[in-house]
Amino acid sequence: MILCSFAVSAFSVLISFLTLKFLPGSVIGNLYLHTFLPQMFYFTLGIFWAKAWSKSPRHIVLFLSSVTLFLFFKIDPLHLSSLNSTLWSFLWFIPLSYAIVWFGYNGPKILWQLNRLDDISMGIFIWHMVIINIFLYTGIDKSLSDYPLILILIAVTAAVAFLSYRIVEKPALKLCSIKTNKPVKLKIASQWQRAVLM
């Protein structure tokens, strides 16, 4: 599974590079950008860490190095992204992904208190793309720089996910806990058996 996820990640980068290099602005290129394929790299990288994390080195020096490398890729002081902007957009996520997973396992213990809050993970998964598209459609993304925009997106998505959990998901989960009335089933079955015997 580790090799498979790594291979799919590498393949998705190759497909993105070829599509955006040779078919930019074309119908195929635009269709590609509106599918899940550009995000396949990030998805399979998450699978890779889920399977390989127990076998990976997890020292704080590596965490700090990952953060430093991420900042180097993101700030790009040497303007290396001009060589290949598509590949560069994937490179910065590799050290960031390690830093995120490391922090998730080794972050401050005070963050463990977040486990007591409502589970809004499903709501975030469902609503994040809707919120992003609303921002794009209304042009809000053009009025803000990268990091303020990301923070606002996270805040709005979390708020919508929380409301979704309280209004929809939590009541639905309570319905799942209602047990079926087994005596009614037995009664129906016994009546059917008597009808057959008669």
Side-chain angles (χ1 to χ4, degrees), residues 169-184:
E169 189 175 349
K170 194 172 182 179
L173 290 172
K174 288 181 179 178
L175 292 176
C176 292
S177 64
I178 299 175
K179 295 182 179 179
T180 306
N181 194 341
K182 292 182 179 179
V184 173

Side-chain angles (χ1 to χ4, degrees), residues 13 21 27 42 106 141:
V13 172
K21 180 73 175 177
V27 175
Y42 310 110
N106 304 285
D141 60 304

Side-chain angles (χ1 to χ4, degrees), residues 56-111:
S56 302
R58 288 168 279 181
H59 199 274
I60 190 170
V61 174
L62 289 174
F63 168 73
L64 295 175
S65 300
S66 297
V67 172
T68 304
L69 192 59
F70 160 70
L71 292 174
F72 172 78
F73 283 134
K74 201 63 181 169
I75 298 171
D76 191 18
L78 303 178
H79 305 288
L80 297 175
S81 60
S82 59
L83 299 175
N84 192 317
S85 58
T86 303
L87 182 60
W88 197 258
S89 64
F90 287 108
L91 283 177
W92 66 266
F93 194 76
I94 297 173
L96 178 62
S97 65
Y98 179 90
I100 289 173
V101 177
W102 187 96
F103 190 81
Y105 277 96
N106 304 285
K109 291 185 178 180
I110 192 172
L111 295 178

